[in-house]
Amino acid sequence: MVEQQLRARGVRDTAVLQAFNTVPRELFVPRPHRVYAYDDTPLPIPAGQTISQPYVVAHMLALLALRHSNRVLEVGTGSGYAAAVLSRIVAEVHTVERHQVLVDYARKRLMQLGYENVFVHHGDGTRGWPDAAPYNAIIVAAGGPGVPESLKEQLAVNGRLVIPVGPNPRQQRLILVKRTGETTYRQRELSPVAFVPLIGVEGWENA
Ligand code: SAM
């Protein structure tokens, strides 16, 4: 997976590639789908959600230019896989999930596998997780109508935020935001992606 799907498609960040090499994706995938765990595709997880495509996650993590000492927020824990990968790259990971069933699913696996620097929280991640802010980086694993102000506020100066943003809940482009000062941000629009909807106060309404 790392050589053929990530490196071959242009992911060059060594820390990201090494982290993907060490985390067993099959243990985060529900048993009936485990045979597909190393295919470059999203797979179903409980609550009608998905574990994201490995290449897209690797690409997003590389955009964050992570350092070992960083504290990072992930919005959309899902299976806990991306949080586990992140935990091999940075010092501390906070991850927020709106479905309690997925909070339990991810917590159990992360604990069993010994990922002790990951903290799984239940809530609306469009509001971030203020208790542990500021974050050196924020990754949003679901697509919203815009960049939530709460997430921008919880970013440290020089911090980076990557989020899928689009005109409807199933079609987005990656947006990379850099906080350049106390009140200033720089924003770039990148490749098209297709994530599940980001549902919350600063996201889409629950249909
Ligand atoms: N990162 C996950 C993984 O490695 O398995 C995949 C995430 S999945 C593509 C997106 C997740 O975002 C879903 O589990 C969904 O419930 C969650 N989500 C959507 N809106 C949210 C919100 N406002 N706060 C927290 N989680 C949210």
Side-chain angles (χ1 to χ4, degrees), residues 166-185:
N168 70 60
R170 295 266 164 196
Q171 186 194 6
Q172 311 96 14
R173 269 185 180 275
L174 286 182
I175 303 286
L176 179 65
V177 179
K178 185 168 180 196
R179 186 167 193 170
T180 51
E182 274 309 319
T183 56
T184 52
Y185 297 85

Side-chain angles (χ1 to χ4, degrees), residues 51-88:
I51 175 171
S52 307
Q53 180 188 359
Y55 167 71
V56 177
V57 180
H59 176 54
M60 290 169 82
L61 294 183
L63 288 170
L64 293 174
L66 300 166
R67 302 246 171 101
H68 188 62
S69 58
N70 285 174
R71 180 165 58 234
V72 176
L73 175 68
E74 179 195 34
V75 177
T77 314
S79 66
Y81 174 71
V85 172
L86 259 170
S87 80
R88 302 301 84 187

Side-chain angles (χ1 to χ4, degrees), residues 49-50 52 74 76-77 79 82 96-99 102 124-125 141 199:
Q49 303 301 314
T50 55
S52 307
E74 179 195 34
T77 314
S79 66
V96 189
E97 171 57 53
R98 63 185 285 268
H99 288 293
L102 289 173
D124 174 5
I199 293 169

Side-chain angles (χ1 to χ4, degrees), residues 113-185:
L113 296 168
Y115 295 103
E116 289 176 356
N117 58 339
V118 181
F119 303 91
V120 184
H121 308 289
H122 180 222
D124 174 5
T126 67
R127 312 302 296 270
W129 193 259
D131 289 1
Y135 302 97
N136 305 103
I138 300 178
I139 177 170
V140 184
V147 184
E149 280 304 313
S150 299
L151 297 186
K152 288 170 74 174
E153 283 162 15
Q154 289 171 36
L155 203 55
V157 173
N158 291 321
R160 292 174 176 220
L161 154 64
V162 66
I163 176 172
V165 170
N168 70 60
R170 295 266 164 196
Q171 186 194 6
Q172 311 96 14
R173 269 185 180 275
L174 286 182
I175 303 286
L176 179 65
V177 179
K178 185 168 180 196
R179 186 167 193 170
T180 51
E182 274 309 319
T183 56
T184 52
Y185 297 85

